[in-house]
Amino acid sequence: MTQILVRGRLLSFLRRPQAIDDTESYRYEEDGGLLVEEGRIVAAGPYGTVRAEAAADADEIDHRPHLILPGLIDTHLHFPQMQVIGSYAANLLEWLNTYTFPEECRFVESEHAARIARHFYDEMIRHGTTTAVAYCSVHKASADAYFAEALKRGMRMVGGKVMMDRNAPQGLLDTPQMGYDETRAVIAEWHGKGRNHVAITPRFAITSTPAQMEMTAALAREFPDLHIQTHLSENHDEIRFTGELYPDAIDYTDIYAKYGLLGPRSLFGHCIHLSEREADAMSEAGAVAVHCPTSNLFLGSGLFPLKALSRREKPVRIGVATDIGGGTSYSMLKTMDEAYKIQQLLGERLNPFESFYHMTLGNAEALSLSDHIGTLEAGTDADFVVLDAAATPAMALKMEVTRSLTDELFLLQTMGDDRAVRETYVAGKAMKAVL
Ligand code: GUN
Ligand code: FE
């Protein structure tokens, strides 16, 4: 079996960095080698050592002087919203009703869904994202297109058919029974096929009746290993309306808890305005708050207290994500650039090691998938990305005076985007080269 031996500067995380000088939290190999066979990493370490382990006929690819990191991970975005990006709206609910819901209606057509799926995966690869967690539309055809394209490209992807049965146009509604049946069909057809993972996906409490939430609860009981994704506490008007729709719940988080949706496989988009009680409940359940900085700024939703939530006595698990099309960039580098600025506005520091941890191992841990992705450990999937901090003339100029790894990472985050991604490897295959 042909091996490939990739040479470059390797950077991967072992755990969350505690401070900017926490050098024990990551592994950095100035002249590193990564040996890949059958889609898996066989060895990673100093080039000389790994070279000695490689077969004599291994194909060598030299990426020096670039950085090689685990593939970037995006834990929340909407596959049917590629043509919603940059829609001019005052706030979340206006944006949903005016642009987003009408656009998602188009995914009833499987040809349209298949075309957008091709563009979607092209953008993932272009931006160095090797695993993403997406909402499809309410239509089963959209989930079929999403997973079929992931299978074609061999990518580890998470996704779900959205369930929604009220407060949206007719063309975007299922029923409690239909949402349940179609989710079961998507699980049967796609979960575990290739590297696909199906997520149980009620859009948010506003668009699901209590009857639909009961069905979601049934799915969560029947499929306890699946991810669950929904939205929580993004916008003040949304929170108020949700409270009116579920008057018996103590707060927004309690609605999801009542239906058995608050657990360690649950990913809650946004979580900007949580009360202390809600943050405690999230922490106790091991649920994940997914921060979507470009979306939160674009829609004016608020400033997510990332640092404050992670240093609580009861810390909340955190993921980071683009939230396309509320988000404005597919780039996880840009995403962390905006996350950094949000913490600045809150008087907090987010250091570059924390940022790169979040894009890679942090998000893998948020998905409970760090045995497979987010690291360069032997035995894990050979999904990795090659980054060039001198990708543009302006970046190259700044690189002339950049001396440390810390500064290089910070430059990549601050000025980088898809242009800084030299190559994206999925299961050991260079994907950008063949786009
Ligand atoms: N809340 C419910 N649906 C959505 C969505 O599509 N995007 C965002 N940002 N928030 C939501
Ligand atoms: Fe979202």
Side-chain angles (χ1 to χ4, degrees):
M1 193 43 65
T2 321
Q3 293 182 330
I4 63 163
L5 175 58
V6 182
R7 187 172 189 178
R9 294 157 57 222
L10 303 184
L11 175 66
S12 60
F13 289 85
L14 306 171
R15 58 167 168 76
R16 183 193 178 87
Q18 309 289 330
I20 195 160
D21 57 359
D22 183 5
T23 54
E24 306 275 287
S25 64
Y26 60 88
R27 193 171 288 151
Y28 175 60
E29 205 65 67
E30 183 79 40
D31 184 10
L34 200 57
L35 187 63
V36 174
E37 188 176 328
E38 291 194 12
R40 296 271 173 87
I41 295 170
V42 177
Y47 172 76
T49 314
V50 176
R51 169 72 265 182
E53 268 185 61
D57 66 348
D59 285 337
E60 276 211 46
I61 305 161
D62 193 347
H63 283 297
R64 287 177 300 169
H66 305 311
L67 278 169
I68 300 175
L69 280 91
L72 309 183
I73 302 171
D74 184 347
T75 50
H76 178 125
L77 79 170
H78 298 260
F79 144 63
Q81 294 179 14
M82 293 189 80
Q83 293 179 303
V84 178
I85 301 172
S87 295
Y88 187 68
N91 55 55
L92 170 68
L93 298 179
E94 182 189 313
W95 175 85
L96 282 172
N97 291 318
T98 313
Y99 305 100
T100 308
F101 289 160
E103 178 59 31
E104 289 194 15
C105 287
R106 299 173 67 199
F107 285 75
V108 67
E109 297 289 343
S110 48
E111 264 176 42
H112 177 68
R115 169 174 177 252
I116 298 298
R118 289 193 294 275
H119 285 289
F120 182 83
Y121 286 94
D122 285 354
E123 286 312 316
M124 294 299 102
I125 289 159
R126 203 168 275 135
H127 288 82
T129 297
T130 50
T131 289
V133 184
Y135 291 63
C136 300
S137 70
V138 72
H139 317 97
K140 180 172 176 291
S142 72
D144 292 340
Y146 175 83
F147 286 119
E149 195 63 32
L151 189 65
K152 219 180 262 175
R153 307 210 189 199
M155 292 171 74
R156 188 174 292 283
M157 297 293 286
V158 186
K161 177 212 112 73
V162 160
M163 290 181 273
M164 52 196 292
D165 69 342
R166 66 169 165 184
N167 290 319
Q170 195 55 43
L172 218 51
L173 299 181
D174 55 12
T175 63
Q177 191 61 46
M178 204 176 140
Y180 174 86
D181 290 344
E182 291 191 346
T183 298
R184 282 198 67 127
V186 172
I187 295 167
E189 286 166 46
W190 295 110
H191 187 69
K193 197 162 183 183
R195 299 164 75 198
N196 285 332
H197 298 251
V198 174
I200 298 166
T201 310
R203 184 176 204 119
F204 66 158
I206 287 180
T207 48
S208 286
T209 59
Q212 178 155 73
M213 294 297 272
E214 293 288 357
M215 289 304 214
T216 308
L219 287 166
R221 277 194 303 273
E222 286 167 59
F223 301 98
D225 296 338
L226 295 198
H227 292 98
I228 296 169
Q229 58 179 346
T230 189
H231 294 85
L232 171 62
S233 199
E234 178 176 4
N235 164 291
H236 291 298
D237 291 337
E238 171 216 18
I239 296 166
R240 205 171 304 119
F241 187 25
T242 304
E244 288 166 23
L245 292 171
Y246 288 91
D248 297 339
I250 323 169
D251 49 41
Y252 199 162
T253 303
D254 186 49
I255 299 169
Y256 296 130
K258 285 221 160 80
Y259 293 103
L261 303 181
L262 199 65
R265 309 284 288 178
S266 303
L267 308 165
F268 293 96
H270 305 293
C271 300
I272 302 168
H273 310 287
L274 297 180
S275 67
E276 288 300 309
R277 193 213 75 80
E278 290 179 287
D280 282 351
M282 293 272 298
S283 177
E284 283 159 15
V288 176
V290 181
H291 178 32
C292 307
T294 71
S295 169
N296 296 166
L297 294 173
F298 180 74
L299 294 172
S301 303
L303 305 177
F304 178 78
L306 185 149
K307 295 289 287 193
L309 285 174
S310 359
R311 69 162 173 260
R312 298 175 90 245
E313 197 173 310
K314 293 182 176 176
V316 177
R317 293 171 72 200
I318 286 168
V320 293
T322 63
D323 193 32
I324 294 294
T328 52
S329 171
Y330 290 91
S331 170
M332 288 307 297
L333 298 170
K334 273 272 138 297
T335 296
M336 293 317 293
D337 178 33
E338 299 301 296
Y340 173 81
K341 294 173 190 171
I342 289 175
Q343 293 316 296
Q344 286 288 85
L345 288 172
L346 291 170
E348 303 272 9
R349 307 302 311 280
L350 183 66
N351 78 59
F353 291 101
E354 286 176 285
S355 286
F356 278 81
Y357 159 79
H358 275 300
M359 289 179 231
T360 56
L361 179 62
N363 270 351
E365 288 173 347
L367 300 178
S368 307
L369 286 175
S370 55
D371 288 349
H372 300 282
I373 55 172
T375 78
L376 300 177
E377 297 296 312
T380 64
D381 300 353
D383 293 347
F384 50 93
V385 63
V386 182
L387 298 180
D388 176 5
T392 68
M395 291 172 82
L397 196 63
K398 174 68 203 276
M399 268 302 274
E400 287 178 10
V401 297
T402 298
R403 300 276 169 260
S404 65
L405 177 64
T406 315
D407 292 348
E408 183 182 356
L409 293 177
F410 198 49
L411 172 59
L412 266 172
Q413 170 188 309
T414 307
M415 296 185 80
D417 50 29
D418 51 325
R419 293 168 298 179
V421 177
R422 296 290 287 233
E423 190 47 274
T424 302
Y425 286 84
V426 170
K429 266 199 250 121
M431 304 290 277
K432 195 162 174 170
V434 296
L435 275 189

